[in-house]
Amino acid sequence: MILTFVSNYINHHQIPVSNELYRLLGKGYTFIQTEPVEEERIRMGWRDESRELSYLKLFYEEPKECRRLIMESDVVVFGGTDEESYIQPRLAAGKLVLRYSERIYKSGQWKAISPRGLKKKYEDHTRYRKAPVYLLCSGGYVASDFHLVRAYPRKMLKWGYFPATKYWDGQKKAELLDKHKEGTVSLMWAGRFIDWKHPELPVLLAEYLKEKGYAFHLSMVGGGEMDEEIRQMITEKGLEEVVTLCGYLPPEKVREMMEKTEVYLFTSDYKEGWGAVLNEAMNSGCAVLASHAIGAVPFLLKHGENGIVFESGNLRDMEEKAELLLKDAGRRRKLGEAACETIAREWNAEKAADRLVELAGRLTESESAHGACGRDGTEEEVEPAGTGDRNSRQKRIGTLQYVEELAYAEGPLSIAEVISPGKMFERLMNRSGKISCGEI
């Protein structure tokens, strides 16, 4: 099988799954990077990997070879860039494509009423609703966004980002979880200091916890346009002894800090399409307290089982749930252990790559046996529902039956449910039975 992954640039959140795909497919796997890594990302500690990976090709250096691969590969996974010209020839030819995407309405689904926006969404997505094009949803709100524009009906599967996973054996795992102890509790927050990541919330939480008399220390990693505002807040509230600003750190240093941290705070709103720090904090055995609006949260967290979810923007809810965590070292340890197990068992690069190759193989086999769709995305020779054998049913790309046959029960490449943002918090609270603050 020839599988090609096309995205704007490769980074430390994508390299692990790419390494696994290369392990499985060898020279049959290529990652095409369409643009250089942004300078801002380099300043944040990201590395430019463009000269170090044998499976990586740069479109801006080898355009002819990259175009050939995009057209001739058995499967192309495409996403991470708004430039559609890379994939249009393959779509027009009716060839198999797995698109991956974060939210298209991060600022609010009301934007779906824009005639200009709807025209663009139709051209890029909706007109392929019956073509061999599937959507890998990188976040719990993606399916709802695309459902609004009637794209990929019953062809949407869970996906995400898969940073490097550390597998802890018995003794090392015990040492990792022993950080959850009585006494001063370590808290951590990491990200850019920008409005939609809400770096002010951990500072406000620190003020609350200090007033309540809790023993804790908060480390904040990162920087950005709100840097001065955050520094001023810390000074004005007299939090210098309990809050440390660490600045930008390389990803490996951030992971080291997580492995020593008891409670990880993740405060972003709906503009956080995925949020790979959640994977990393869970893998590091942290007890996570996260906003429900973050894309990764509905896929990775089960409230009260492997983490705690608070209502986005609700400081009081965040304070109450943080307070319960600080009171109970045993609960922190239990949540951290369950979080670590979630990543090691299911949401990791190895599992994702294995499933992606299997899915791609089944789709390729089906397409080869039963023909491709027309150039306009309409199906050819479709049999009425309920007729023919299983192979003939597989020809009907996009039917519920076919997606259910493809999808896994849970985790990567399971069915992405359509749940509106307004109903997600309630859904997360009730997913494992209703849990009140007092029961966490």
Side-chain angles (χ1 to χ4, degrees):
M1 179 193 301
I2 306 298
L3 189 153
T4 298
F5 202 114
V6 184
S7 192
N8 53 354
Y9 46 76
I10 198 164
N11 58 52
H12 61 286
H13 297 154
Q14 295 170 313
I15 288 174
V17 77
S18 281
N19 286 344
E20 291 301 314
L21 289 169
Y22 185 65
R23 175 183 62 82
L24 293 168
L25 300 174
K27 293 183 178 180
Y29 177 70
T30 302
F31 188 107
I32 295 177
Q33 177 172 300
T34 62
E35 60 189 71
V37 179
E38 299 166 340
E39 286 299 321
E40 181 186 4
R41 300 288 183 178
I42 300 295
R43 290 194 297 272
M44 289 169 56
W46 291 27
R47 293 176 56 199
D48 183 355
E49 312 278 354
S50 60
R51 306 295 175 184
E52 302 177 17
L53 303 170
S54 58
Y55 52 76
L56 183 66
K57 289 187 180 296
L58 308 178
F59 193 96
Y60 43 91
E61 292 187 2
E62 301 179 78
K64 185 176 180 180
E65 172 61 11
C66 289
R67 287 193 184 96
R68 182 193 68 78
L69 270 171
I70 292 171
M71 281 302 295
E72 296 180 6
S73 296
D74 297 307
V75 183
V76 171
V77 182
F78 177 79
T81 174
D82 294 328
E83 179 52 65
E84 292 288 316
S85 62
Y86 300 108
I87 201 66
Q88 277 299 330
R90 185 177 178 92
L91 289 171
K95 293 189 173 184
L96 181 62
V97 173
L98 301 179
R99 302 190 70 133
Y100 82 91
S101 178
E102 293 184 4
R103 296 196 65 183
I104 53 175
Y105 295 121
K106 290 181 180 180
S107 298
Q109 291 187 338
W110 60 270
K111 289 194 172 184
I113 65 174
S114 164
R116 183 177 180 181
L118 286 174
K119 182 176 184 295
K120 175 66 172 170
K121 298 301 183 293
Y122 174 82
E123 292 173 350
D124 295 346
H125 302 284
T126 310
R127 64 172 168 164
Y128 300 107
R129 56 187 281 121
K130 295 182 180 179
V133 186
Y134 284 75
L135 183 66
L136 307 183
C137 301
S138 294
Y141 301 95
V142 178
S144 178
D145 282 1
F146 280 96
H147 178 72
L148 286 179
V149 296
R150 302 179 67 246
Y152 312 109
R154 299 168 178 171
K155 295 195 295 179
M156 297 186 283
L157 301 167
K158 292 181 181 179
W159 193 244
Y161 292 95
F162 304 92
T165 297
K166 295 185 180 181
Y167 295 94
W168 309 95
D169 60 24
Q171 180 59 34
K172 289 184 178 179
K173 186 174 182 180
E175 293 173 1
L176 178 73
L177 296 174
D178 280 346
K179 65 186 177 183
H180 297 288
K181 54 187 181 297
E182 301 295 340
T184 301
V185 180
S186 54
L187 288 76
M188 180 179 173
W189 183 98
R192 287 175 289 163
F193 287 16
I194 54 179
D195 59 356
W196 55 267
K197 287 185 179 285
H198 297 287
E200 77 283 0
L201 289 180
V203 177
L204 293 173
L205 175 62
E207 179 184 29
Y208 173 83
L209 295 175
K210 183 181 178 182
E211 290 176 353
K212 287 283 188 173
Y214 289 100
F216 72 96
H217 189 274
L218 168 65
S219 298
M220 296 183 67
V221 179
E225 61 192 45
M226 293 179 65
D227 192 284
E228 185 56 37
E229 178 183 342
I230 297 303
R231 290 180 184 277
Q232 187 173 342
M233 282 182 67
I234 292 169
T235 300
E236 290 178 351
K237 296 177 182 299
L239 300 174
E240 294 93 338
E241 293 185 1
V242 294
V243 180
T244 298
L245 298 182
C246 305
Y248 285 123
L249 296 173
E252 58 271 17
K253 293 295 183 182
V254 176
R255 286 298 298 268
E256 288 177 11
M257 287 184 65
M258 287 177 174
E259 289 163 19
K260 297 176 183 178
T261 296
E262 295 177 76
V263 178
Y264 186 85
L265 306 173
F266 201 2
T267 56
S268 299
D269 60 31
Y270 290 109
K271 291 184 181 179
E272 187 75 73
W274 178 259
V277 290
L278 179 58
N279 306 59
E280 295 169 333
M282 292 174 71
N283 185 216
S284 300
C286 297
V288 176
L289 176 60
S291 156
H292 86 279
I294 295 160
V297 166
F299 287 178
L300 299 187
L301 285 187
K302 292 184 178 179
H303 178 66
E305 295 182 18
N306 65 356
I308 301 299
V309 181
F310 71 91
E311 185 176 19
S312 179
N314 186 337
L315 179 60
R316 181 58 181 160
D317 191 37
M318 181 184 180
E319 291 171 343
E320 289 178 349
K321 290 172 178 175
E323 195 172 357
L324 290 167
L325 285 175
L326 265 70
K327 288 178 179 177
D328 192 342
R331 174 63 66 182
R332 295 195 300 270
R333 182 187 178 100
K334 181 180 178 181
L335 292 171
E337 184 173 15
C340 194
E341 180 64 20
T342 297
I343 301 301
R345 185 185 69 251
E346 195 146 80
W347 279 97
N348 57 70
E350 294 87 343
K351 180 77 73 173
D354 287 343
R355 290 182 174 185
L356 183 61
V357 169
E358 183 178 10
L359 172 73
R362 292 176 63 188
L363 284 170
T364 302
E365 193 177 309
S366 178
E367 284 300 300
S368 297
H370 304 295
C373 297
R375 296 175 67 87
D376 62 352
T378 58
E379 295 182 27
E380 298 176 349
E381 303 178 17
V382 178
E383 297 182 17
T387 65
D389 58 17
R390 181 176 182 274
N391 286 336
S392 66
R393 289 199 302 272
Q394 286 183 332
K395 189 175 184 177
R396 296 193 301 276
I397 300 291
T399 67
L400 179 60
Q401 183 177 28
Y402 185 47
V403 169
E404 286 181 340
E405 289 178 355
L406 287 174
Y408 294 85
E410 58 182 348
L413 299 179
S414 58
I415 292 175
E417 298 175 284
V418 176
I419 303 171
S420 69
K423 296 181 179 179
M424 185 62 81
F425 181 66
E426 181 181 355
R427 172 65 176 268
L428 293 175
M429 293 300 98
N430 294 320
R431 184 159 58 179
S432 303
K434 187 171 181 61
I435 303 174
S436 68
C437 288
E439 297 172 323
I440 291 175

